[in-house]
Structures are given as structure tokens and as C-alpha cells.
């Protein structure tokens, strides 16, 4: 069967929905192909946090001062080393407008600031901190909270995607579900002019002068993970199970190139508030980071640079300071007044945790975390009994499985999402966005920057595809 359109969007997560909306709003006939039985992808499972700033309407409504330069400085350091400067600059400059675009698509944001530390606040607050107020970033940029969250307790990804998909359908985007793109069609000049797809065993042929690949990352494709992000092998994946890298491979098949393929988000099953009230230690029982940074940062530092397994250590006061519902079901591996007993339980060298607790206590008493610079508001000497919590045990008894992560690298694109060949020339007719592409990230990650750059550059790709 043959279908014709002006723009084909392959994969209907956040990037695809943003691209499809913009293309259709510009007057193009758009067909979106989605391999699953419905749209949403990993985006719909996500927390829904979108990293925005530079003075968004929501920041103003919460009384938060921010500007583009401070946002750029924070992200440049937090997403580094080597973020994509040009994309990042554009992203920061366009951020207030992008927030308004999300609101116009019907995404609700409540004008209140969540002051706690969490992967995912249990409230409907629209704004949250994502590590901006922690060292070393406090030395680089004026801190401002920039995590923008749809107004729903916990995960907001479903709500976000309902709004984006409804908006895309509202401007006439035709959605073909259960339809997997399997090949790109090119003309004699090498330009991409269509997609070969399959639906329930039927071969389908889609034709259009522009194709946007928005199929997500490759966390679920073991061989690609082993080739590019070996640090993730043996860990769990943060995805809908369909991040199979198919769009990246489609792009490569017509001469596209890739970038930042080793970049990865990583999460330990550490409750950030417990870590702030206590400490995180490596397999030697040593601290290695200020625990009040964005939790993906301490997770990444741990998994990539510190001997594991890793543990949260907290005392009774710290444990009680975090409401049970916000402990996400984590349980101590061991609890004891006797530090030597805990060292045996966790496999630390004898005397190591005792030394770490003594140093931490001395620093806390002096009001300054001299080596790791945790903010003084969290500092206090810990007192027995202590709990040691395995940081790889999973939340809510999900069982051991190490850390979890998703991939950040993908097709090399220009600022308008055009896929670039080895000479850095755009491949005619081919665009990519979201985790199928390489976005603003260098080696680092901050929550909200995946949905953020996916929708932001998805929009640009959708508009460029109509030109
Ligand atoms: C639990 C969880 C929490 C997260 N929290 C956040 C957060 O708060 N903030 C944040 O920024 N990021 C978060 N992330 C990461 C973020 O959700 C993803 O990185 C992002 O959604 C990727 O968007 P995308 O549009 O590129 O891909 P996706 O949303 O995965 O969409 C890709 C779509 O393409 C389809 N597809 C794949 N291959 C094909 C093919 N060959 N043909 C047709 N269709 C195909 C898939 O079925 C899928 O629907 C979270 C992820 C998870 C799983």
C-alpha cells in the first residue's frame, strides 16, 4: 500500500509530536508512523520534567529571577564536558518562548516552587531545583530553579504527551500506529524521499520530500550499548523498552553520521533527600561528592568513576526527616550502632566508614564540608545508629540490577535537525530530533534536558522539513 505526504515523522514521542505539530501547523500534510500500538514512547513514561529558564513566565510567577546567560553557564558545565555550544545557546535563548509554546499546547504548570530535593516531587508544584544551587555550579552561575513540571503529582510524562499528541492531531497530523519504519527510500541524487514500513506483516510504502526520525535512543539494543556505552552493560535501562536505535541505524544507512554516542544518563536508586541528610560512599567507604547535587550527577560520578557498589549512609534523624512515601520503598541493608558491624555488612575495608564518619562529623561541626562542599544547610554530625542502604538495590523492592540509564548520543544534526553526512553536509530530506539525534549534551545530563531539547529541536526539525 502506498501513502503520500509532505512530511513523514517516524516515532511519536515528545520529539516526534513537536515536529509533527510544527510541520502540520505550517500547512504540511503530515503522517506520523509509530511502531507501538499508541503514541507516547519513553516520553509518556517519563517524569515530565522539562528544563527551561532564562526568565520563563512560570519562573516570574514564582518570583524567580533568571537570565539566559546564567542558564547557559549552568548547563554548559552540568552537561559537559563538551556540550554542543551552538545548540545549547539557541536552546537557552529560546527557552522562555518554548515554555509558552508548551502552555499553548495545553500543558498545565502550577506557579509554585518545590523546595525539597527529589527525583520526582510528590506534589503538583510547577518548578523545582535541579542542582543549580549546589557546588561547583554555585561558583559558575547565579542559581535559579529551572525544572518545569506539568501540574500532576509524581510523573508528568503522560500528561505532557497527551497534550502534545492531541495538539498534533488537532492540526491534522495523521497517526499510523503499529507501523514500524524499516528502511529509508532515496532518489538517484541520494535525497531521502520516503520510508519503507511494515504493519502487521504488510509492507507499506510512504513517500514525502522530508522525513523526521524521532525514534528515541538505543538503550534497549544490547549490541549498540556494548559498542558505545559499555558502562551501561549489566545495568537497568530507563526506557519504554523500544529504544532499539532503529532510527539511528536508518540514518546511518543513507550516509548520516553520529555524535556523542558514549554519553549516558545514569541513575542510582538513591533517595536524594536521604543522601543530603546523610552521605553517599563508594566501595571503600569513602565520600566522593557533595550529595546535594542533581542526583543524576552523583549517580554518573559513582558509576563511571568510583569503585562500586555504592551506598547511602544515614542516621536515624536523617531517615526520619524523609517521609516514608518519599523514601520510595528503599530499605537498609543493615542498621547498627556499631560501625565495624556495618563495615562488614557492606564489605568496606575495616575502619574506613568510621574514618569517613569522623571526618564528616568534624567538618559538620565546623560548618564547612571542606573537600566536597555540600551546602552547610545539610551539614550536621551523624549519630548512631546508622543505616547503610545499597544504592543499586532498586526502588520499591524492584530488586537488584545495578543502576539504570538511557543514551544521549545519536545522529549528528545541524541546528534545524538536518542529518549531516561525513562532510558535515545535510542529507537532503532527512531530519532527526530527540534521542535519535545528538542534542545539547556533552558527557553530562540534567533531568529535563531530554524532553526539553527533544521538543525544542523537534519543533525546529518539523519547521525545517516543511521548507
Ligand atoms: C521513567 C523515565 C523517566 C524520565 N524522566 C524524564 C524527565 O523527567 N525529563 C526528561 O527530560 N527526560 C526524562 N526521561 C527521558 C526521556 O523520557 C526520553 O529521553 C525522551 O522521552 C525521548 O524522547 P524521544 O521523542 O526521543 O523518544 P520516545 O519518547 O521514546 O519516542 C520514540 C517513539 O518512536 C517509536 N519508534 C521507535 N522505533 C521506531 C520505528 N522504527 N518506526 C516507528 N516508530 C518507532 C517508539 O515506539 C516511540 O514511541 C525519562 C525516561 C523514563 C523512561
Amino acid at each position: 500500500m502506498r501513502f503520500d505526504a509532505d512530511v513523514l515523522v517516524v516515532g511519536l514521542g515528545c520529539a516526534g509530536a513537536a515536529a509533527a505539530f510544527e510541520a502540520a501547523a505550517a500547512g504540511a500534510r503530515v503522517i506520523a508512523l509509530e511502531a507501538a500500538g499508541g503514541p507516547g514512547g519513553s516520553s509518556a513514561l517519563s517524569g515530565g520534567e522539562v528544563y527551561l529558564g532564562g526568565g520563563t513566565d512560570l519562573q516570574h510567577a514564582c518570583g524567580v529571577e533568571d537570565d539566559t546567560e546564567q542558564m547557559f553557564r549552568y548547563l554548559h558545565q552540568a552537561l559537559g564536558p563538551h556540550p554542543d555550544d551552538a545548540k545549547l545557546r539557541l536552546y537557552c535563548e529560546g527557552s522562555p518562548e518554548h515554555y509558552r509554546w508548551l502552555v499553548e499546547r495545553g500543558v498545565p504548570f502550577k506557579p509554585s516552587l518545590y523546595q525539597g530535593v527529589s527525583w520526582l516531587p510528590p506534589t503538583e508544584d510547577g518548578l523545582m531545583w535541579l542542582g543549580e544551587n549546589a557546588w561547583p555550579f554555585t561558583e559558575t552561575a547565579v542559581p535559579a530553579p529551572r525544572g518545569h513540571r506539568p501540574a500532576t503529582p509524581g510523573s508528568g510524562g503522560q500528561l505532557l504527551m497527551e497534550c502534545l499528541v492531541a495538539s498534533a492531531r488537532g492540526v491534522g497530523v495523521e497517526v499510523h500506529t503499529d507501523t514500524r519504519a524499516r528502511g529509508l527510500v532515496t532518489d538517484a541524487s541520494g535525497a531521502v524521499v520516503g520510508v519503507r514500513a511494515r504493519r502487521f506483516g504488510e509492507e507499506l510504502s510512504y513517500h514525502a520530500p522530508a522525513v523526521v526520525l524521532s525514534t528515541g535512543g538505543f538503550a534497549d539494543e544490547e549490541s549498540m550499548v556494548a559498542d558505545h556505552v559499555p558502562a551501561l552493560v549489566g545495568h537497568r535501562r530507563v526506557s519504554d523498552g523500544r529504544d532499539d536505535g532503529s532510527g539511528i541505524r536508518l540514518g546511518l544507512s543513507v550516509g548520516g553520521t553520529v555524535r556523542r554516542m558514549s554519553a549516558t544518563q545514569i541513575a542510582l536508586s538513591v533517595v536524594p533527600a536521604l543522601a543530603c541528610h546523610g552521605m553517599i560512599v563508594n566501595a571503600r567507604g569513602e565520600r566522593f561528592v557533595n550529595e546535594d547535587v542533581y542526583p543524576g550527577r552523583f549517580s554518573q560520578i559513582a558509576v563511571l568513576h568510583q569503585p562500586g557498589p555504592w551506598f547511602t549512609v544515614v542516621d536515624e534523624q536523617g531517615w526520619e526527616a524523609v517521609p516514608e512515601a518519599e523514601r520510595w520503598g528503599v530499605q537498609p541493608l543493615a542498621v547498627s550502632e556499631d560501625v565495624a558491624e556495618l563495615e562488614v555488612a557492606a564489605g568496606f575495608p575495616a575502619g574506613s566508614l568510621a574514618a569517613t564518619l569522623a571526618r564528616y562529623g568534624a567538618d559538620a561541626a565546623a560548618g564547612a564540608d571542606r573537600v566536597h562542599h555540600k551546602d552547610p544547610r545539610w551539614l550536621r554530625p551523624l549519630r548512631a545508629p546508622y543505616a547503610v542502604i545499597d544504592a543499586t538495590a532498586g526502588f520499591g523492592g524492584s530488586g537488584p540490577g545495578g543502576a539504570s540509564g538511557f543514551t544521549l548520543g545519536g545522529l549528528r544534526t545541524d541546528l534545524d535537525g538536518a542529518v549531516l553526512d561525513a562532510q558535515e553536509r545535510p542529507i537532503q530530506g532527512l531530519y532527526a530530533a530527540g534521542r535519535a539525534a545528538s542534542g545539547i549534551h556533552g558527557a553530562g545530563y540534567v533531568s529535563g534536558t531530554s524532553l526539553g531539547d527533544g521538543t525544542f529541536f523537534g519543533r525546529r526539525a518539523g519547521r525545517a522539513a516543511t521548507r
Side-chain angles (χ1 to χ4, degrees):
M1 196 183 288
R2 177 184 167 117
F3 298 92
D4 289 280
D6 298 320
V7 176
L8 296 171
V9 171
V10 182
L12 203 49
C14 72
F21 173 86
E22 289 287 329
R29 261 179 316 148
V30 181
I31 300 178
L33 284 57
E34 169 52 55
S42 294
S43 306
L45 291 183
S46 77
E49 291 157 13
V50 186
Y51 200 92
L52 297 168
T56 63
D57 294 342
L58 186 72
Q59 288 178 312
H60 289 147
C62 293
V64 169
E65 299 235 342
D66 195 14
D67 68 54
T68 302
E69 184 55 28
Q70 302 309 321
M71 177 183 179
F72 179 83
R73 285 189 198 178
Y74 172 69
L75 284 182
H76 194 265
Q77 189 175 7
L79 302 185
H82 305 303
D84 186 317
D85 279 1
K87 282 184 180 165
L88 184 55
R89 183 65 73 186
L90 201 62
Y91 180 71
C92 295
E93 285 168 357
S95 193
E97 185 276 336
H98 192 53
Y99 171 75
R100 284 196 290 275
W101 181 85
L102 289 168
V103 172
E104 283 161 13
R105 302 287 73 75
V107 185
F109 293 94
K110 188 174 165 190
S112 52
L113 173 63
Y114 179 73
Q115 285 287 9
V117 284
S118 177
W119 289 104
L120 206 56
T123 64
E124 292 190 351
D125 296 318
L127 203 55
M128 69 184 289
W129 292 93
L130 287 168
E132 300 90 343
N133 52 358
W135 188 89
F137 307 103
T138 43
E139 301 198 342
T140 310
V142 178
R146 303 193 184 94
H148 288 56
R149 311 176 54 237
T152 183
S155 295
Q158 179 76 35
L159 177 56
L160 175 76
M161 284 311 298
E162 280 169 10
C163 295
L164 295 186
V165 172
S167 294
R169 288 190 201 271
V171 289
V173 173
E174 206 177 301
V175 180
H176 292 193
T177 54
D178 298 303
T179 305
R180 170 169 286 277
R182 294 163 53 82
L184 292 174
V185 181
T186 52
D187 67 11
S189 73
V192 172
V193 291
V195 169
R196 283 182 286 105
R198 185 181 284 175
R199 179 165 58 236
F200 300 128
E202 187 184 1
E203 297 296 334
L204 307 170
S205 164
Y206 288 86
H207 297 263
V211 174
V212 181
L213 298 171
S214 44
T215 47
F218 61 91
D220 297 309
E221 175 55 46
E222 282 303 317
S223 65
M224 286 177 82
V225 169
D227 281 351
H228 300 290
V229 204
L232 269 191
V233 172
H235 294 291
R236 280 186 280 238
R237 305 298 152 73
V238 179
S239 83
D240 63 351
R242 288 175 192 272
D243 281 356
D244 62 3
S246 59
I248 296 173
R249 282 179 282 136
L250 287 175
L252 289 171
S253 74
V254 295
T257 51
V258 288
R259 196 171 191 218
R260 306 273 188 262
M261 289 293 276
S262 62
T264 178
Q265 176 267 3
I266 298 180
L268 288 172
S269 53
V270 168
V271 175
L274 287 177
C276 285
H277 284 288
M279 58 173 75
I280 305 175
V281 297
N282 61 20
R284 294 194 293 252
E286 298 162 338
R287 285 180 74 216
F288 52 89
V289 69
N290 47 323
E291 294 83 355
D292 53 353
V293 285
Y294 164 65
R297 181 174 176 87
F298 65 59
S299 300
Q300 198 187 55
I301 291 172
V303 175
L304 298 185
H305 304 296
Q306 293 292 319
W310 314 273
F311 298 87
T312 309
V313 180
V314 67
D315 65 0
E316 200 167 0
Q317 185 179 333
W319 178 265
E320 295 297 339
V322 182
E324 189 178 347
E326 290 167 47
R327 288 189 220 128
W328 287 21
V330 300
Q331 291 298 333
L333 171 77
V335 178
S336 181
E337 304 238 342
D338 182 351
V339 178
E341 223 174 72
L342 294 173
E343 288 168 347
V344 171
F348 299 142
S352 60
L353 182 60
T356 300
L357 284 165
R359 204 172 308 123
Y360 187 82
D363 276 8
D369 179 14
R370 279 169 284 199
V371 177
H372 300 296
H373 307 278
K374 181 149 86 171
D375 190 279
R377 78 192 151 114
W378 297 110
L379 289 179
R380 121 190 114 67
L382 305 186
R383 290 196 178 77
Y386 310 101
V388 172
I389 305 162
D390 182 351
T392 61
F395 289 121
S398 57
S404 55
F406 64 86
T407 59
L408 296 168
L411 292 164
R412 179 186 288 257
T413 54
D414 69 10
L415 295 176
D416 284 320
V419 176
L420 303 177
D421 68 12
Q423 279 74 47
E424 305 222 355
R425 292 173 312 208
I427 295 172
Q428 193 66 36
L430 189 62
Y431 300 83
R435 298 288 58 83
S438 170
I440 58 179
H441 307 91
Y445 180 74
V446 177
S447 190
T449 55
S450 188
L451 296 172
D453 96 342
T455 48
F456 185 85
F457 289 100
R459 289 176 63 198
R460 292 183 70 89
R463 286 198 297 266
T466 60
R467 289 202 279 271

